Amino acid sequence: MIATIRPAHKLEGAITVPGDKSISHRALILGAIASGDSHVRGLSPGADVQSTAQCLRALGVEIGDSNIAGRGMRGLHASASSLDCGNSGTTMRLLAGLLAAQEFESELTGDESLSRRPMDRVVQPLLRMGARASWPPLRVGGQPKLEGFEYTAQVPSAQVKSAILLAGLYAAGETAVVEPVKTRDHTEVMLGAMGAEVKVDGPRVAVSRTERLEPIDIAVPGDFSSAAFWLVAGGLVEAADIRLLGVGVNPTRTGLADLLTSIGFRIGRARPRFEAGEAVADLHVTPAGELRPVRVEGGMAAEMIDELPVLAVAATQIAGTSVIAGAGELRVKESNRLAAMEAGLAAMGADIVTQDDGWVITGPRRLEGARVDSAGDHRIAMALAVAGFIADGKTEIDGAECVEISYPGFFDHLEYLC
Ligand code: S3P
């Protein structure tokens, strides 16, 4: 599908972005091994979370619209065929951790993009726990006597951390992950809410063997990573007044909002509250004041890893040179996001140079509408749509159907806000 984006002179209204993708995956997976029925409202409607639900169904779990019939820690059964994780790295990596600890073997497959993504980052630690694990193709399980250990993260990755913690629920003794750079903590938060013994001590998070998880009852907050497109768009469009209702504002996720505020964006928060240990608030964005260049360095990229493509769009509008570094992980996401954003923004007239681990972007540049490619990557498609709002003329995005991965209603929200 080609999406045509026209300049947006105003963006106004209140919207509820889809349920958080990361929390939705975890609610399904942990709900599946809880002792009893979990109630999860507002699950992400995106294709990635559907992939997790389908894999769990193949493992014998009954999942309704907002109900997960937990089968207990040992209640999963082998799937008759390989588990199709679609485009979803979170599905593949988290399930690899859970399934490595089962008595049966599982094979996990994915689409072309997922088949190219690195899985040795989960295989290696699982082997060190005594599990059977190999890749490619990814096969885990069949040797359930795991040993706890302490793992120092080699790359900042909540997916890898979560895979190890999930395996750790079944391992003898304590399993710990030490993160030199902190990543999103939804797994730890949810495990705690479900009664598991989770110890967090600075950069170290540990779990012990767990016999029983209590079911969870949660209304999944809106996905901050989806809200991010409107935070940037609202700041850059001439007349904007956007309210984003019930967004997850877990501090391990909101690095982009803090950064944008520090350079001159106007982002307000209202009605702060908690939902099963997760912080939630309404966000309000209006046009930004004068903007200062962006500098992302050191561990900062991990706090906003999924938001960096749309941050690059903001950088094209800022006077001076913005530097986004420490983001080499972007090369191994659903697409090579460093290359995909450079191609799209350069085609629209931006001054953007890709480096080893990020971009150098010099602005401000008036963007020109162009025909650009999503690279089959949902976050690229939506970031380029935001570029299209502030460009002159028409922007056409090839392969825009991929927004379905995390934000099926994106183009409806766009129409509503315009
Ligand atoms: C996710 C973690 C991040 C992120 C992805 C979702 C998660 O990946 O990019 O969209 O839910 O744990 P990494 O942890 O591999 O960086």
Side-chain angles (χ1 to χ4, degrees):
M1 165 194 149
I2 298 173
T4 302
I5 309 291
R6 312 254 172 209
H9 300 292
K10 77 164 185 54
L11 289 171
E12 279 170 13
I15 56 173
T16 302
V17 296
D20 187 89
K21 185 158 82 67
S22 293
I23 296 175
S24 297
H25 286 297
R26 287 155 174 85
L28 287 172
I29 293 171
L30 293 176
I33 54 169
S35 297
D37 281 13
S38 288
H39 299 285
V40 184
R41 293 163 308 283
L43 275 172
S44 162
D48 269 7
V49 169
Q50 281 309 313
S51 293
T52 292
Q54 279 305 100
C55 290
L56 290 169
R57 287 188 183 108
L59 294 159
V61 186
E62 273 177 46
I63 299 173
D65 283 346
S66 58
N67 194 70
I68 305 155
R71 297 182 61 88
M73 296 296 291
R74 289 280 170 204
L76 301 179
H77 63 59
S79 166
S81 53
S82 60
L83 297 163
D84 182 2
C85 304
N87 190 244
S88 175
T90 312
T91 305
M92 186 174 269
R93 296 196 177 112
L94 269 57
L95 286 181
L98 175 68
L99 295 175
Q102 308 301 317
E103 280 167 10
F104 52 87
E105 189 187 71
S106 303
E107 181 174 275
L108 297 113
T109 59
D111 69 5
E112 210 191 311
S113 151
L114 185 55
S115 305
R116 281 195 305 266
R117 295 179 65 186
M119 294 299 147
D120 40 347
R121 53 180 62 190
V122 286
V123 167
Q124 291 310 324
L126 292 173
L127 289 173
R128 284 179 58 190
M129 297 177 81
R132 266 194 217 137
S134 57
W135 173 79
L138 185 57
R139 290 207 184 96
V140 294
Q143 195 305 95
K145 290 201 167 45
L146 308 190
E147 295 289 331
F149 80 134
E150 180 168 303
Y151 185 70
T152 300
Q154 309 295 301
V155 282
S157 170
Q159 295 179 354
V160 174
K161 170 176 65 177
S162 301
I164 297 169
L165 296 177
L166 288 169
L169 296 176
Y170 293 85
E174 188 184 71
T175 301
V177 179
V178 179
E179 293 192 292
V181 174
K182 179 95 183 141
T183 64
R184 66 192 69 191
D185 64 0
H186 304 300
T187 302
E188 310 71 303
V189 169
M190 197 173 288
L191 280 171
M194 296 173 80
E197 199 192 315
V198 185
K199 286 189 219 135
V200 181
D201 184 7
R204 184 179 190 274
V205 48
V207 296
S208 300
R209 190 205 286 275
T210 300
E211 300 301 335
R212 181 189 164 88
L213 288 177
E214 298 304 326
I216 190 159
D217 188 330
I218 183 176
V220 177
D223 198 323
F224 180 84
S225 299
S226 298
F229 300 105
W230 304 116
L231 294 181
V232 171
L236 298 181
V237 161
E238 285 154 37
D241 189 335
I242 309 175
R243 282 177 202 279
L244 300 153
L245 307 177
V247 180
V249 289
N250 175 321
T252 63
R253 293 288 298 283
T254 51
L256 177 85
D258 302 337
L259 176 83
L260 291 176
T261 306
S262 76
I263 62 169
F265 275 69
R266 298 192 172 110
I267 299 170
R269 279 193 193 189
R271 296 206 306 136
R273 52 212 189 263
F274 276 91
E275 183 66 49
E278 292 282 351
V280 185
D282 297 345
L283 301 179
H284 181 209
V285 57
T286 49
E290 199 179 318
L291 294 174
R292 291 173 289 286
V294 170
R295 188 157 280 275
V296 173
E297 56 199 352
M300 286 170 73
E303 298 167 12
M304 54 186 90
I305 193 70
D306 292 335
E307 293 72 61
L308 292 173
V310 76
L311 178 62
V313 175
T316 68
Q317 301 308 299
I318 300 173
T321 298
S322 290
V323 179
I324 298 173
E329 275 294 297
L330 291 182
R331 292 187 188 279
V332 290
K333 292 292 179 187
E334 286 84 326
S335 70
N336 176 345
R337 289 182 175 163
L338 291 182
M341 285 310 292
E342 186 192 43
L345 289 177
M348 297 176 78
D351 180 346
I352 172 168
V353 179
T354 298
Q355 314 248 304
D356 261 7
D357 65 346
W359 303 284
V360 175
I361 300 167
T362 305
R365 280 290 178 97
R366 245 205 113 71
L367 300 182
E368 290 288 338
R371 176 97 177 239
V372 292
D373 186 9
S374 71
D377 184 331
H378 54 133
R379 303 218 191 272
I380 302 299
M382 292 183 273
L384 291 174
V386 173
F389 297 157
I390 52 169
D392 291 328
K394 167 175 92 170
T395 299
E396 290 178 314
I397 306 171
D398 264 324
E401 67 281 356
C402 61
V403 303
E404 296 284 325
I405 291 293
S406 61
Y407 198 163
F410 178 76
F411 291 109
D412 297 329
H413 279 171
L414 187 166
E415 216 165 279
Y416 165 74
L417 290 169
C418 285

